[in-house]
Amino acid sequence: YVSTRGGGTSTTEFEYLTGDSMTYTNGINPYSSFDFTNVPSMVSILKEQGYHTIAMHPENPENWRRSVVYPKLGFDEFLSISAFEDSERTVWNRVSDLGDYQKLIEVYEAQTEPTFIFNVTMQNHGGYTDTYMNLTNDIQSQYASEPLNQYLTLIHKTDQALENLIDYFSKVDDRTIIVFFGDHQPSLSSSFYPYLN
């Protein structure tokens, strides 16, 4: 359960990768405000243990200064939107989670040493009010609006993509740990929250 709602992806990334909390920083964005030179992180610890470290995010590398911050955190490589040119697209012409995970598998298969891959996907990042030619809302809630239906449909597509990813890694010889977490709560109307109880 992450603390941010409707945005702030880099805040959650910072907390996950460094173990530090942003609770008392009054809305400061760490990637925009901090100098990450010599900041201990999960990335630097794994590098010390001989891991090759890769960050993946199918968007502009300048978003949240990732092109500057990721190398300082210790990533050896950063694959941004240019690495995903042939990947499947979804809402807002973003790379779908299925396309993202296919690229992740491709990157994994190219490795010859222990590897840590940190992958930030984009399929479900909202907004959820537009109509798209390549998306039909397969999930229909009886209690809420079309934005919720679209969000739930995208989450369902993520579940299907995750099933493929987990199935793939269940068959590889390397011992593998897959960790999933959301980077922020969705920006949806609060009108449907009473129905969640």
Side-chain angles (χ1 to χ4, degrees):
Y1 185 79
V2 297
S3 59
T4 56
R5 180 174 183 269
T9 301
S10 61
T11 299
T12 302
E13 288 183 34
F14 170 80
E15 290 182 329
Y16 177 78
L17 291 171
T18 67
D20 293 322
S21 174
M22 294 298 296
T23 300
Y24 302 109
T25 57
N26 296 324
I28 292 173
N29 183 279
Y31 282 12
S32 299
S33 304
F34 300 161
D35 177 3
F36 283 83
T37 306
N38 301 318
V39 171
S41 70
M42 179 187 307
V43 187
S44 58
I45 291 168
L46 289 169
K47 277 180 66 86
E48 289 172 5
Q49 295 179 10
Y51 281 76
H52 183 66
T53 56
I54 302 170
M56 295 177 58
H57 183 50
E59 281 294 317
N60 185 331
E62 304 310 314
N63 291 353
W64 296 122
R65 295 180 60 232
R66 287 184 178 95
S67 62
V68 173
V69 173
Y70 281 170
K72 288 187 176 184
L73 283 171
F75 284 108
D76 297 312
E77 296 179 54
F78 175 27
L79 304 177
S80 62
I81 190 62
S82 62
F84 293 83
E85 289 179 357
D86 297 326
S87 298
E88 179 187 81
R89 302 290 169 145
T90 186
V91 296
W92 296 64
N93 199 33
R94 290 179 175 142
V95 173
S96 71
D97 284 355
L98 179 62
D100 182 283
Y101 299 154
Q102 289 169 338
K103 184 66 175 180
L104 186 149
I105 290 169
E106 178 186 317
V107 169
Y108 163 76
E109 289 179 343
Q111 303 310 305
T112 58
E113 57 194 322
T115 304
F116 169 63
I117 302 174
F118 180 68
N119 182 31
V120 180
T121 64
M122 280 302 292
Q123 173 179 286
N124 301 328
H125 273 59
Y128 307 107
T129 58
D130 293 338
T131 302
Y132 300 97
M133 296 287 290
N134 58 349
L135 180 70
T136 301
N137 289 342
D138 299 327
I139 308 297
Q140 297 292 321
S141 168
Q142 61 181 335
Y143 299 111
S145 64
E146 279 306 300
L148 177 62
N149 294 338
Q150 188 175 107
Y151 172 73
L152 293 174
T153 295
L154 289 168
I155 291 296
H156 180 66
K157 290 187 178 305
T158 294
D159 287 346
Q160 293 169 326
L162 286 175
E163 183 178 11
N164 291 336
L165 183 71
I166 292 169
D167 182 62
Y168 171 84
F169 278 104
S170 71
K171 297 171 183 166
V172 301
D173 292 333
D174 295 323
R175 292 187 302 171
T176 305
I177 298 172
I178 303 174
V179 178
F180 308 102
F181 62 93
D183 55 337
H184 53 74
Q185 304 300 318
S187 181
L188 292 165
S189 168
S190 59
S191 63
F192 74 92
Y193 287 128
Y195 299 111
L196 297 178
N197 294 328

